[in-house]
Amino acid sequence: MKLAIFGKHPVPQGGFDGVMSLFEAIGFSRLGYDVSLLIAFPDSATHDAVLARLDIEDLNALPKFGGRFDIVPVYPDGRGFQEVDVLIYQSCRPEDWDTYGALCQDHAGLLTKNFPKFVPDHDFEREPSVIGQFANFDLIACALRSDLDIFRANPAFWQEHGHRLAHVPRGADPALLHAGYKTATAPIIGLDMPSGDDARAYMAYVGPIKRLRRDYPGLKVLTIGKPIPELESTAIPYGRFDRLYDRFFNLIWVYCTIDYRFSPAHLQAEIHKRDSGWGPRAVFEVQNIEAQMSGAPILGRRACMIDELYEPGVTGFNYRDQGSEPQIYRTLSRIIADMAHYRTETRKWALRHFTWESCIARWHEAIQACRRATGQLR
């Protein structure tokens, strides 16, 4: 069966879409699909410039991390697109859909997309966003089970549309993310960073970590992209995802998530949370899964944590509000004091629930069920 992924490759392009595109390509190729990863370019000159910058002659020279798939350039005039049985649309950029959406629809027997968060409210009638997406996609893959449960609870809707919805979580690679590097004698705390410059997104951790430094003089703080001056953190530069794993996730003992009320990217992601009742709560943040796969428990503000993405008290902890510095200090102290236990249990939980292999298997099953229901597969 031919399957194409309209997405990115994480080496020249980076970002979550690149990582997810790669593991979709790897996973479906291992299930026996004939997979092509479609990389969009505005014109041939841009494509050639990328090859020259990377010093390669063809996109297929890019690393495939054990996957067996082709990498194909595609263009707004339709060059590169071919008829496929299934096409996964892996882009969060509205301008990509404006340019390539119709081309993806025209060349796909079945078009599907994974959404990190759809339903902000349990009042079904107030949230039509999923129904609206049926005009674009044949199969909606919900990253969160709670999204699917809301629609399953509406019998009339489920009777008509249930075959076009599936629970397909986003995963992490247990081979690249592991606990083997967590051997430092002093604790290493990893902090998420907001997309903007609002220090309130991480300020709740500053006091507790300063206090912890008195208990553990060698304690280090790692952040991604930019440092936190108040904590003298070491900023790990953006770059290849596998190197970021080794320099950040595989080292940290605990991962502290930001307060999404003060992160512009989260507040503006209205496609995923259109209702004010959802407020600043997180969408499916895959870095929380990556941290747990590496054996690092997660800690965050209660309203910014999604229940199904961690096991409370085992792989994840939360605090109630910005005034909870004593609670944050106690929680971090508890994790650090018994790091070997939490590292093992957190990793085991992530392996049970969030390997890419199991996530792609769910998507495969949903694709086959949808094709049977629509007469594409007999």
Side-chain angles (χ1 to χ4, degrees), residues 289-309:
I289 303 303
E290 292 169 331
Q292 291 173 89
M293 189 64 75
S294 78
I298 60 175
L299 172 63
R301 181 173 177 266
R302 178 67 188 93
C304 295
M305 302 279 277
I306 295 179
D307 296 342
E308 65 189 83
L309 301 187

Side-chain angles (χ1 to χ4, degrees), residues 74-282:
V74 294
Y75 301 92
D77 61 6
R79 283 179 294 153
F81 283 93
Q82 295 185 355
E83 299 289 332
V84 293
D85 300 294
V86 179
L87 193 148
I88 295 173
Y89 183 80
Q90 185 56 56
S91 174
C92 60
R93 291 159 42 93
E95 55 268 36
D96 282 346
W97 182 257
D98 293 341
T99 304
Y100 297 99
L103 287 166
C104 290
Q105 290 172 323
D106 291 345
H107 289 85
L110 182 147
L111 185 61
T112 182
K113 185 182 188 319
N114 184 278
F115 287 87
K117 179 62 191 172
F118 251 128
V119 183
D121 197 292
H122 283 256
D123 182 351
F124 176 83
E125 299 301 327
R126 292 174 59 192
E127 186 46 67
S129 60
V130 172
I131 300 173
Q133 288 295 342
F134 284 155
N136 298 330
F137 302 101
D138 302 298
L139 175 63
I140 302 292
C142 299
L144 293 175
R145 182 183 293 106
S146 53
D147 279 357
L148 196 66
D149 289 344
I150 291 172
F151 291 102
R152 186 180 282 117
N154 184 299
F157 175 85
W158 193 256
Q159 178 70 26
E160 182 177 358
H161 298 294
H163 66 282
R164 299 179 66 185
L165 284 158
H167 172 225
V168 180
R170 299 180 173 193
D173 183 2
L176 294 175
L177 289 156
H178 52 79
Y181 294 171
K182 300 186 196 303
T183 56
T185 55
I188 301 177
I189 295 176
L191 260 70
D192 191 9
M193 291 294 289
S195 58
D197 295 320
D198 195 333
R200 291 176 296 175
Y202 58 78
M203 193 55 67
Y205 299 111
V206 171
I209 290 176
K210 285 183 176 180
R211 185 178 171 187
L212 277 168
R213 276 212 168 108
R214 295 196 291 269
D215 304 331
Y216 301 93
L219 183 147
K220 295 181 180 179
V221 178
L222 301 183
T223 51
I224 297 176
K226 52 189 175 182
I228 296 177
E230 299 93 334
L231 293 175
E232 299 178 349
S233 69
T234 299
I236 307 302
Y238 293 105
R240 279 184 49 158
F241 75 99
D242 53 329
R243 295 170 185 168
L244 186 63
Y245 288 172
D246 279 345
R247 299 179 66 183
F248 185 80
F249 285 113
N250 289 339
L251 295 176
I252 61 174
W253 293 21
V254 59
Y255 181 61
C256 299
T257 68
I258 59 173
D259 187 335
Y260 295 111
R261 293 178 297 175
F262 308 112
S263 176
H266 289 87
L267 295 178
Q268 294 168 7
E270 293 304 318
I271 187 173
H272 302 308
K273 42 187 185 299
R274 293 168 45 186
D275 189 281
S276 59
W278 185 242
R281 194 166 171 144

Side-chain angles (χ1 to χ4, degrees), residues 308-326:
E308 65 189 83
L309 301 187
Y310 69 105
E311 185 173 350
V314 179
T315 76
F317 302 84
N318 59 71
Y319 61 92
R320 289 293 175 182
D321 53 46
Q322 287 285 93
S324 298
E325 291 192 1

Side-chain angles (χ1 to χ4, degrees), residues 2 9 46 52 68 111 159 182 184 187 207 215 221 230 286 291 306-307 324 326 329 335 347 362 376:
K2 291 186 177 181
H9 189 285
T46 304
R68 298 173 63 87
L111 185 61
Q159 178 70 26
K182 300 186 196 303
D215 304 331
V221 178
E230 299 93 334
V286 76
I306 295 179
D307 296 342
S324 298
Y329 168 77
I335 294 170
R347 166 80 170 182
R362 282 179 172 271
Q376 295 184 35

Side-chain angles (χ1 to χ4, degrees), residues 18-29:
V19 175
M20 191 158 178
S21 298
L22 173 68
F23 284 105
E24 288 165 357
I26 293 171
F28 279 103
S29 68

